[in-house]
């Protein structure tokens, strides 16, 4: 341990930086403060990129590092009295408020878990709640719980800061166990909390009929709490729980340890290097991703996700979460546990966020880093000699998991040995449900338990891909595979038998949006036109592989659609400049946003040139999730995988030096069957 | 070991059955026989299904099993003198030829490895080959090799049985090592072999220019064997080979053994049961797939794959392989090796095929069966208590790998604990290449090594899904998620804020084809209308998840397109009856087929009713592969994944009894970093 440590410009705030900043904020703005974020601001790319290059080249940058670039922090807080958002930029070295803005327009701050817990307490003891229970014929002391749900928005005009709650009974048989599963006991009312007035603004009632009942209030006649059944998931609460007995242990053992090296926030693995950071909104962010020191991506992050629901009947029509903008992948991250969330030799990274009072919460183990065997990486058998060449597809895994009330999202970055990066989302957890009358079915969802309607919904993710393919100045293109005209083309008979097809290239010359077209094999690439592959004579590039998925179903004229332009196209290309606040696909302030929050719609309207520029590619994909009965009570993971693959970035397969797969290393075991009622090869 | 063994109707031929049949064939048809297949015929479903049900119920079926159904074998052979195909049906018990057909139409038999090896020898010593080398200015004794390529077809009319060869030099530096990589040394001529005449019919020359050169023969002026470079992949042949040193071992250890039980050809794992079988054409076939004894799928198989190439210049325009029909996934299967092709505790199944002389070749280890950890299966964290429920996604894996000359295909079936079945194809191996002049590029492919053009091509797979969802009589439907009209719908104001969307169901009432439409979230399901889910009130079903991929690019009027109607639509629904020979998407005889080989195009033209019938669903998907430089010399796996997921087949998530993931069982290890040049949380 040397006495002097140098802070990397991408390192998060140290504890003392954090506490000095919080002291400064209290000193400057008084005590009515609810902190939402205290975190370092990334230096502008023009300043940071040269430092990253110098560090990668092993140059001595101690001097630069200690002097500049300026180290800044962002503080976001709300004033408890006005509910206004305040944002500050702090110069950390001089401990000075460089910039302060009180957001006077009707933007609402993101929620946080501490607020939810405090609001739930208030809801559970509020007279409006007791009154609603009474109207349902339920005793006032019925054990219930209030699940937080972002209010959403259904008006283009201004509204107070609201918060809504989906109400459930606590399972009568679970004797107050706090882990009992309440989602099979939905209550058909939604208290709406007025944040500034600090009280229940109103109670909305939920339609519990079917399509034929339309907007008839049927809850009074039909609501039947006796219909519900326990659907416990925790083993100690499952009735007559019998764990299936025949699943034998499977262990990932790395006798010589992991193949990666960790250096603070830096990761080295199999010719890859990268740096991670953590913030309250995006959670895990990857920076400065290089292969053999060649820059590939400057920054990779999950930018946003919108989760709109398809039941149009008020008040549930308003259900549209922006899980990153409304809540945050950092603040909702799980602490991961060894041997539960990942196997093998695991390195954990911590995160840190600000608590409402400004103190720094160290979030233990929010990112796990480990290796995984993904089956065969490549194989060729020489049929003449029967000799094989085979390698395993070992990958480096960076995983983070968030819990947004009922739902879980698993975000996983994979790095492989052949230069590709993959990003997977897995959706799991608990479906968001509503009450439905006995015997009814609904066009808006599926009945997944007696009296429980799981509403059809979408999850549309937006991945922000900030490339640096072999250096600065990149261009986006898309290619399509196109059938040639049959027979003669101009003077040359180029397709005499009708079998020809070619690749058509389309340069993307300015900011805009694009859709996938799998029937044309439309493939988006990011290339560096200044670097030409010596073998193929084509520019160095990476291509995007992405599942083609349904776009936003909300009507284009709806508030819901105006809030999420990003979800209406698969691919967006924008240009980045140092002054851009361009991290967030749906804008910075999504909570109760009304279509004026900025984001991709605004960015592309600039129509700036994107050829040989500092471009950003945004990849939007998702699930339209029409729930199955099998998705309840806990939903098996639904997975989506996106890949970024080198395309003429290397001059040959970069994985040709991967050790071949062999039994001496892999120590597999032969299984012998002792049972042979029928024999196939003897008689 | 009891004295009497009962043969299951799906068991392949025993060695003695096989040899008795071969003796019978020789006795009946003389000695001019080249065997292509000797294998048991599956009993008709009407006979087999009741036996499978009785066995599943544990009923004593010994009586039925020994008496009936009749046990039959199929023999396919060619007459060496006429090159005609003969097919026979043999009654095994009475050892009698029940049926014999000499195929007089111009169908060609599939190839086999033994034929390829024998033909290569003839090509390498043929005067036409020497003459071609001479024209290229190469010595007659230049070490070369001749890679087999199916001749393909470019005429609707009759042609002799041909076979073609892609020619390569052997790497000059590899000193005759048979594992040297010849694909970076393409020669621009294609000898065409006339099978019946047993000689070279002609030598076709390959265009080696670019698009501007069109059909100009440039090989004489430009062909430059000095351009080529070694691209060895085998470690002992790679120049200055340095295995990357920092990949540490990763072992899958199952201290208590595997969780599956094997009983002959039957597999039991985690409430699943199934039976496998093996044949020369389809390779691995799955039968009688049940979950907790409930039938789910009657039969699952890879039916066909077509691989058309996009270079329209003769003779390479003819390159269109049908890897199952032209060759066969059984005959080309790799023998898998412990600790190479799969990790953990592995059970291997053998296969058997007939050699050309009729003797039975036992193919060792053609299928591996093992378990894999696929990450998190499901998770929910109660944010109020921070307690988590988490399970691993353990899957049963059945893997088989085929080598079709240069290419490898890995076919993997996965069974998960939540009732889903997944099928993955991985394409790897070596790209099919041609010579290209120095400095030229081509619109038909990518230059992946000096002088080496890797041609753009497609792989279109067809999966045959024969369902038995909760019993006989199934129906196919597709659903779409559809935006509702904004505001008032009829008399009811059902979508006041424009957020509503619903699921539209479309019954498929007769045989036909359909395309995916991911923008409508079009989802195909197989349902059993007679079995209604008690919770959702919807029929029990399984749904298909499949990537939407480009269909066949060959012009619809081309011979290539007529040979592969299946590749022109994503989904086909047909009806199965006992008399149907409906296993093969492109017909039984694909080699040199000319659009009259039968297959899906013919089947759906019957337009039979498919409601509550014995239906078959065919799922077609693929890659349009425009090669990257990184795909050479060995191609990192390109993967495609199809899933069959229960959709209201169960009354809740069937995996709720899976043991939760814990460190005591998983024995993971914490990684500690010793390097900390930069510190993120201290200062």
């Amino acid at each position: 341990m040397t006495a002097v440590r140098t802070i990397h410009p991408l390192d998060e705030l140290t504890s003392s930086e954090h506490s000095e900043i919080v002291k400064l904020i209290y000193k400057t703005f008084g005590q009515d403060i609810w902190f939402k974020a205290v975190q370092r601001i990334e230096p502008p790319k023009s300043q940071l990129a040269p430092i990253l290059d110098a560090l990668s080249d092993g140059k001595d940058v101690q001097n630069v590092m200690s002097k500049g670039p300026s180290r800044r922090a962002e503080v976001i807080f709300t004033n408890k009295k006005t509910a206004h958002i305040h944002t500050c930029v702090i110069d950390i070295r001089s401990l000075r408020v460089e910039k302060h803005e009180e957001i006077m327009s009707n933007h609402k701050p993101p929620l946080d878990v501490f607020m939810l817990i405090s609001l739930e307490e208030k809801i559970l003891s509020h007279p409006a709640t007791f009154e609603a229970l009474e109207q349902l014929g339920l005793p006032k002391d019925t054990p219930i719980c209030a699940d937080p749900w972002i209010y959403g928005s259904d008006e283009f005009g201004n509204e107070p800061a609201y918060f809504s709650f989906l109400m459930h009974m606590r399972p009568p048989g679970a004797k107050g166990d706090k882990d009992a599963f309440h989602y099979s006991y939905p209550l058909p009312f939604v208290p709406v909390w007025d944040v500034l007035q600090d009280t229940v603004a109103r109670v909305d009632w939920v339609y519990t009929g079917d399509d034929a009942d339309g907007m008839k209030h049927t809850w009074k006649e039909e609501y039947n709490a006796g219909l519900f059944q326990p659907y416990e998931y925790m083993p100690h609460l499952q009735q007559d729980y019998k764990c299936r007995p025949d699943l034998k242990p499977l262990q990932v053992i790395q006798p010589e340890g992991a193949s990666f090296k960790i250096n603070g926030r830096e990761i080295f693995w199999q010719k890859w290097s990268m740096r991670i950071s953590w913030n309250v909104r995006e959670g895990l962010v990857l920076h400065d991703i290089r292969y053999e020191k060649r820059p590939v991506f400057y920054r990779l992050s999950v930018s946003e996700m919108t989760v709109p629901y398809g039941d149009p009947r008020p008040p549930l029509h308003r259900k549209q979460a922006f899980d990153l903008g409304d809540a945050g992948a950092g603040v909702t991250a799980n602490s991961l546990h060894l041997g539960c969330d990942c196997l093998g030799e695991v390195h954990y990274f911590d995160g840190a966020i600000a608590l409402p009072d400004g103190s720094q919460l160290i979030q233990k183990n929010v990112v796990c880093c480990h290796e995984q065997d993904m089956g065969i990486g490549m194989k060729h058998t020489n049929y003449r000699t029967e000799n094989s060449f085979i390698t395993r597809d070992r990958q480096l895994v960076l995983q983070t998991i968030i819990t947004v009330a009922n739902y879980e999202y698993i975000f996983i970055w994979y790095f492989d040995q052949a230069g590709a990066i993959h990003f997977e989302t897995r959706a799991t957890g608990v479906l968001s449900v509503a009450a439905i009358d006995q015997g009814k079915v609904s066009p808006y969802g599926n009945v997944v338990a007696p009296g429980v309607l799981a509403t059809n919904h979408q999850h549309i993710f937006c991945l922000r891909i900030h490339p640096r393919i072999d250096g600065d100045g990149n261009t986006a293109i898309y290619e399509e595979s196109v059938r040639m005209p049959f027979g003669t083309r101009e003077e040359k008979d180029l397709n005499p038998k009708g079998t020809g097809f070619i690749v058509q290239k389309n340069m993307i010359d300015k900011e805009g949006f694009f859709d996938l077209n799998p029937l044309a094999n439309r493939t988006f690439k990011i290339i560096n036109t200044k670097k030409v592959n010596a073998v193929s004579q084509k520019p160095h590039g990476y291509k995007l592989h992405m599942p083609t998925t349904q776009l936003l179903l909300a009507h284009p004229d709806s508030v819901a659609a105006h809030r999420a332009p990003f979800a209406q196209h698969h691919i967006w290309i924008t240009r980045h400049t140092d002054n851009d606040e361009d991290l967030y696909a749906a804008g910075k302030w999504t909570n109760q946003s009304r279509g004026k929050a900025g984001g991709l719609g605004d960015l592309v309207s600039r129509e700036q040139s994107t050829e040989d520029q500092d471009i950003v590619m945004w990849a939007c994909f998702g699930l339209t999730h029409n729930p199955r009965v099998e998705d309840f009570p806990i939903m098996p993971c639904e997975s989506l995988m996106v890949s970024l693959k080198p395309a003429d970035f290397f001059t040959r397969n970069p994985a040709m030096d991967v050790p071949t797969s062999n039994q001496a290393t892999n120590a597999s075991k032969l299984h012998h069957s002792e049972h042979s009622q029928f024999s196939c090869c003897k008689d």
Side-chain angles (χ1 to χ4, degrees), chain A residues 45 52-53 56 271-274 286-300 415-416 418-421 465-474 526-528 531 540-543 614-615 644-647 649-650 654:
Chain A
K45 190 174 170 190
L52 299 176
D53 289 341
S56 175
K271 306 186 184 180
W272 286 106
S273 66
M274 71 207 72
L286 308 188
H287 305 269
D288 194 28
I289 295 148
R290 292 169 188 258
Y291 194 96
E292 287 184 321
K293 296 185 180 288
R294 291 169 69 192
V296 183
F297 292 97
Y298 179 72
R299 193 182 195 277
L300 294 173
F415 292 79
D416 76 20
I421 302 172
I465 301 163
H466 196 160
R468 203 176 174 221
I469 305 296
D470 240 352
D472 296 315
N474 286 182
I526 304 163
I527 58 172
N528 186 329
K531 303 285 171 74
H540 293 173
Y542 261 71
K543 63 176 174 173
D614 188 4
I615 59 167
L644 293 159
K645 297 190 180 187
F649 185 82
F650 299 100

Side-chain angles (χ1 to χ4, degrees), chain A residues 17 27 94 197 211-212 374 576 620:
Chain A
E17 284 175 339
K27 204 176 96 186
S94 65
Q197 303 300 326
D211 196 33
M374 305 294 271
H576 176 82
C620 305

Side-chain angles (χ1 to χ4, degrees), chain A residues 302-580:
Chain A
V302 181
S303 174
E304 194 49 273
M305 170 192 348
T306 188
V307 188
Y309 283 72
D311 190 335
R313 298 171 299 175
L316 300 185
H317 72 289
R318 231 184 266 111
K319 280 174 74 180
Q320 180 187 19
F322 292 78
D323 285 335
L324 276 81
D326 291 354
V331 68
T332 59
N334 286 198
S335 277
L336 305 177
H337 295 290
L338 188 67
C340 298
D341 299 283
C342 26
L343 304 186
E345 182 161 326
V346 188
H347 183 89
Y348 291 100
F349 292 98
D350 296 340
I353 55 168
L355 291 176
D357 68 1
S359 57
Q360 192 185 37
L361 175 72
I362 302 295
Q363 300 172 287
K364 292 299 290 178
N365 298 0
V366 284
V367 176
C368 62
C369 169
H370 63 103
E371 290 174 275
Q372 221 164 288
D373 177 274
M374 305 294 271
I376 291 171
M378 48 183 167
K379 180 169 191 182
H380 180 56
T381 302
N382 183 333
Y383 79 92
R384 294 176 177 91
T385 64
E386 291 186 11
N387 291 328
S388 286
F389 167 82
I390 179 167
T391 65
R392 306 290 309 169
D393 182 13
R394 181 81 64 88
Q395 299 193 3
L396 178 76
V397 181
L398 294 171
Q399 176 178 259
T400 184
I401 306 176
I402 68 173
T403 295
V404 194
N406 51 302
Y407 253 112
E408 261 71 20
Y409 299 97
I410 305 175
F411 297 135
I412 319 175
W413 293 97
Y414 301 95
F415 292 79
D416 76 20
Q417 296 168 312
I421 302 172
H422 314 273
F423 173 73
E424 185 184 9
T425 63
R426 296 189 180 193
T428 178
V430 185
L431 293 162
S432 189
V433 297
I436 186 167
D437 301 336
Q438 185 156 24
K440 297 274 164 98
V441 294
S442 168
Y444 310 124
N446 205 13
V447 178
V448 295
V452 179
L453 178 68
T455 314
N456 299 336
H457 58 281
Q458 300 189 283
H459 306 259
I460 302 180
F461 301 90
C462 180
L463 206 59
R464 184 179 182 277
I465 301 163
H466 196 160
R468 203 176 174 221
I469 305 296
D470 240 352
D472 296 315
N474 286 182
T475 304
I477 63 169
Y478 66 90
E479 296 179 344
E480 296 185 346
S481 288
V482 178
R483 175 180 293 157
M484 288 168 68
F486 202 136
T488 303
R489 200 178 82 183
E490 291 155 16
E491 80 283 10
K492 294 168 290 188
D493 183 18
L494 275 188
N495 190 23
K497 298 294 182 177
T499 56
F501 53 90
I502 56 165
V503 176
Q504 272 179 358
K505 285 187 178 50
N506 302 275
M507 200 71 85
I508 296 174
D509 58 359
K510 60 171 199 268
E511 293 177 315
F513 52 76
F514 306 87
D515 289 332
L516 294 175
N517 182 355
L519 293 177
N521 197 42
R522 188 177 292 169
T523 305
F524 287 82
K525 283 187 182 174
I526 304 163
I527 58 172
N528 186 329
T529 58
K530 299 174 294 302
K531 303 285 171 74
V532 174
N533 191 295
V535 174
S536 70
Q537 304 175 46
K538 291 178 183 159
H540 293 173
Y542 261 71
K543 63 176 174 173
L544 175 73
H545 277 224
M546 196 171 101
T548 308
T549 54
Q550 190 167 35
L551 295 164
L552 190 75
L553 277 163
H555 196 283
D557 298 338
S558 66
V559 177
H562 278 80
R563 300 179 73 198
F566 82 87
Q568 298 170 49
H569 297 285
H570 295 120
I571 302 287
W572 299 71
I573 305 293
T574 62
R575 182 163 151 195
H576 176 82
T577 61
D578 275 355
N579 297 323
D580 284 348

Side-chain angles (χ1 to χ4, degrees), chain A residues 243-255:
Chain A
C243 182
R244 53 174 77 184
D246 55 351
L247 188 74
K248 306 285 176 65
L250 183 153
Q251 300 170 348
V252 173
I253 303 295
Q254 300 187 263

